[in-house]
Amino acid sequence: MIQAFPTFSTERLTFGPIGYQDVHHIFQLFSDPDTMKFDGGQTMSTLDEAQEFIQFYSVFRPEFPILRWAIRDKETGTFYGTGGFYKMDLKNEKAELGGEILKNHWNKGIATEAIKGMLAFGFEGANLNRITALVSPKNSAAQALIKKSGFTYEGCLRQWERWGTEWMDLTIYSLLKKEWQK
């Protein structure tokens, strides 16, 4: 059982709590229409929204299990983005994976390494058996990343979420612990 906010690292990245020192990075990340067009479509419009985001995600609450890390460069501390697990169901050992990387850090292998690290934490540290990812069918980069990370396509969830005034389809992928261990 996870009791406190866990931290870990990979070869190039660290994963730790989002802090108030990140407010401008969080705002930059979530106010960018290019970043958010495949992640709910809504953008932040004020620093107050970024502060509320940080307040919500900076601690782990066992009664509301969500883990969202600040992803940083291991050597310089440069903020790259956020990622983590949502809809965590520790009783049934499953969670949904998600995240965002600042646009100026796209195509540098950061998301690939971040997913690899989060999967290792999920299967080993949180003892999950199943991790899912919901991806917009229009987001070809995320689709390729999820497939490269070993996930299996399960299907299309038709009109799964409302993004603004539109209903959006999302494709669902999953990775099981036994598949990840191979």
Side-chain angles (χ1 to χ4, degrees):
M1 182 78 167
I2 301 167
Q3 295 299 322
F5 201 101
T7 61
F8 64 96
S9 62
T10 61
E11 184 180 338
R12 298 183 300 158
L13 307 173
T14 62
F15 297 76
I18 302 166
Y20 288 104
Q21 75 277 10
D22 299 317
V23 69
H24 291 285
H25 296 300
I26 293 296
F27 181 72
Q28 179 185 2
L29 182 64
F30 291 101
S31 65
D32 180 357
D34 289 336
T35 300
M36 298 309 296
K37 73 179 168 185
F38 297 125
D39 197 4
Q42 292 186 306
T43 57
M44 286 184 182
S45 55
T46 68
L47 282 176
D48 287 343
E49 290 174 285
Q51 288 176 333
E52 290 171 13
F53 179 95
I54 292 167
Q55 183 176 2
F56 184 80
Y57 287 110
S58 63
V59 295
F60 178 77
R61 298 171 190 84
E63 71 279 4
F64 190 63
I66 292 176
L67 284 172
R68 189 178 198 121
W69 292 279
I71 302 169
R72 303 178 194 282
D73 183 275
K74 196 175 197 176
E75 290 185 19
T76 66
T78 299
F79 181 93
Y80 290 141
T82 71
F85 294 109
Y86 315 91
K87 300 176 186 165
M88 291 181 78
D89 179 346
L90 299 177
K91 178 183 175 205
N92 291 297
E93 300 174 354
K94 62 183 180 177
E96 182 181 319
L97 178 75
E100 305 81 16
I101 300 294
L102 285 165
K103 189 168 35 179
N104 59 324
H105 297 294
W106 290 357
N107 301 312
K108 296 180 181 178
I110 294 166
T112 300
E113 185 172 336
I115 286 178
K116 189 176 181 181
M118 290 186 292
L119 290 174
F121 175 83
F123 290 127
E124 295 172 353
N127 197 35
L128 298 175
N129 179 60
R130 175 186 166 90
I131 297 174
T132 58
L134 299 179
V135 181
S136 167
K138 298 175 183 176
N139 190 344
S140 57
Q143 298 270 348
L145 178 62
I146 287 298
K147 290 175 189 174
K148 179 171 73 172
S149 299
F151 282 75
T152 299
Y153 174 81
E154 290 190 342
C156 180
L157 302 169
R158 298 179 317 132
Q159 296 188 359
W160 186 251
E161 289 182 348
R162 183 185 294 248
W163 293 5
T165 60
E166 290 186 54
W167 285 101
M168 298 301 293
D169 295 346
L170 292 176
T171 52
I172 184 168
Y173 292 85
S174 67
L175 183 61
L176 303 178
K177 187 174 192 172
K178 66 182 180 181
E179 297 165 341
W180 174 79
Q181 289 173 328
K182 288 182 181 179

